[in-house]
Amino acid sequence: MEVRVFKNAGEIGAAAGKIICDFVNSKPDCVLGFATGASPVPTYDYMINQFNEGKVSFKDVTTFNLDEYCGLPADHKNSYFTFMKENLFSKVDIQSKNINFLDGNADEEQESKRYAEAIKAKGGIDIQILGIGRNGHIAFNEPSDEFTDEAWKVTLSQSTIDANSIYFDDTEMPRSAMTMGIGSIMRSKKIILIATGNSKAQAVKDMIKGPVTPHCPASILQQHNDTVILLDEAAASLL
Ligand code: F6R
């Protein structure tokens, strides 16, 4: 794991965005894995700016997102698909036919198989962006007794419900989601994990310095051979 500490989220976004844009310019038909939530937004902003300045095009890029809530239609204002549309997809030239999302309302087994096959058919994910939960989750793989492999349907933990319910005003936050499994994430060729703020400091410490255990799912990244962890000073404060 390579750990880099920055002054603020904007600097992290520029660093992560540059890695991605440079890679897209070297391999225009690459496969990118995206996360939702606050952590990757400055990265997406950097990518949008580079696109607007004509420095990069995403027209041949294929994308896979990490997770989607169960029980919401894809076009619901709180779905992760809508989040991606608003924060990135509608602002760059990614083609909708190249966008892949888990369907939180599909049959779990069939959906898991479909997503695994789609990723495989594209030759795997070249760069996967991750955030980390306050409880050490990656995607929606919550702390548990075992590491998962392919996509599965997870019951969200209270910590995740507390953290994410701020985005739900008039809709009740779903209690379950379809998420890429730990195995699928670990098969990504490169991983960029972004964490900012004090609320992530303990999870970041457990991820980097703790034992590799499914009780801190992000700790598995210690076993990935090309992972870069981008932190602000607050998230790095317990290292
Ligand atoms: C979202 C996801 C989650 C978030 C994590 C951090 O697609 O997979 O693991 O990355 O919950 O969320 P933020 O960035 O909002 O703190």
Side-chain angles (χ1 to χ4, degrees):
M1 271 176 171
E2 181 195 342
V3 180
R4 294 166 64 188
V5 181
F6 296 82
K7 286 223 154 42
N8 54 50
E11 282 187 14
I12 295 178
K18 183 168 177 356
I19 295 172
I20 292 170
C21 292
D22 286 351
F23 188 74
V24 170
N25 282 328
S26 71
K27 186 181 176 189
D29 62 346
C30 67
V31 181
L32 299 178
F34 289 141
T36 52
S39 306
V41 169
T43 304
Y44 299 152
D45 288 344
Y46 181 93
M47 292 162 65
I48 293 164
N49 282 339
Q50 292 293 104
F51 168 73
N52 286 337
E53 287 176 16
K55 293 183 178 152
V56 68
S57 165
F58 301 96
K59 78 176 170 41
D60 296 322
V61 166
T62 296
T63 73
F64 288 89
N65 260 80
L66 286 172
D67 37 24
E68 182 58 282
Y69 290 115
C70 299
L72 298 182
D75 61 357
H76 189 278
K77 70 181 168 54
N78 292 120
S79 75
Y80 276 166
F81 181 71
T82 298
F83 177 95
M84 287 306 299
K85 217 163 83 181
E86 287 173 354
N87 285 284
L88 183 68
F89 294 155
S90 67
K91 298 180 175 168
V92 296
D93 60 348
I94 292 174
Q95 300 189 63
S96 38
K97 72 176 172 63
N98 292 340
I99 293 171
N100 294 277
F101 242 87
L102 280 161
D103 178 352
N105 300 315
D107 172 80
E108 178 182 4
E109 204 173 310
Q110 283 175 17
E111 185 60 359
S112 174
K113 198 160 165 265
R114 179 190 72 79
Y115 219 54
E117 281 168 3
I119 294 172
K120 201 166 166 209
K122 284 289 166 187
I125 294 172
D126 289 302
I127 302 181
Q128 174 67 56
I129 303 279
L130 294 179
I132 182 172
R134 298 170 192 177
N135 60 3
H137 75 209
I138 46 175
F140 272 145
N141 295 281
E142 304 282 31
S144 74
D145 290 335
E146 57 189 351
F147 288 117
T148 53
D149 187 22
E150 300 293 1
W152 64 298
K153 185 171 174 174
V154 61
T155 301
L156 299 174
S157 71
Q158 194 56 48
S159 157
T160 300
I161 292 166
D162 292 345
N164 289 12
S165 49
I166 55 160
Y167 297 108
F168 290 81
D169 39 15
D170 52 358
T171 312
E172 205 193 326
M173 185 183 152
R175 296 309 197 238
S176 57
M178 276 297 286
T179 180
M180 247 193 228
I182 295 289
S184 345
I185 293 169
M186 287 294 280
R187 282 187 283 279
S188 307
K189 290 161 205 160
K190 182 177 187 75
I191 293 174
I192 302 173
L193 184 143
I194 296 168
T196 57
N198 281 317
S199 66
K200 302 291 175 69
Q202 185 63 48
V204 164
K205 183 183 175 196
D206 293 344
M207 163 176 68
I208 296 171
K209 299 219 157 147
V212 174
T213 163
H215 294 285
C216 175
S219 63
I220 192 79
L221 298 175
Q222 292 176 30
Q223 296 180 352
H224 190 271
N225 65 9
D226 189 3
T227 287
V228 51
I229 312 281
L230 307 181
L231 306 172
D232 70 356
E233 285 164 4
S237 59
L238 297 180
L239 293 179

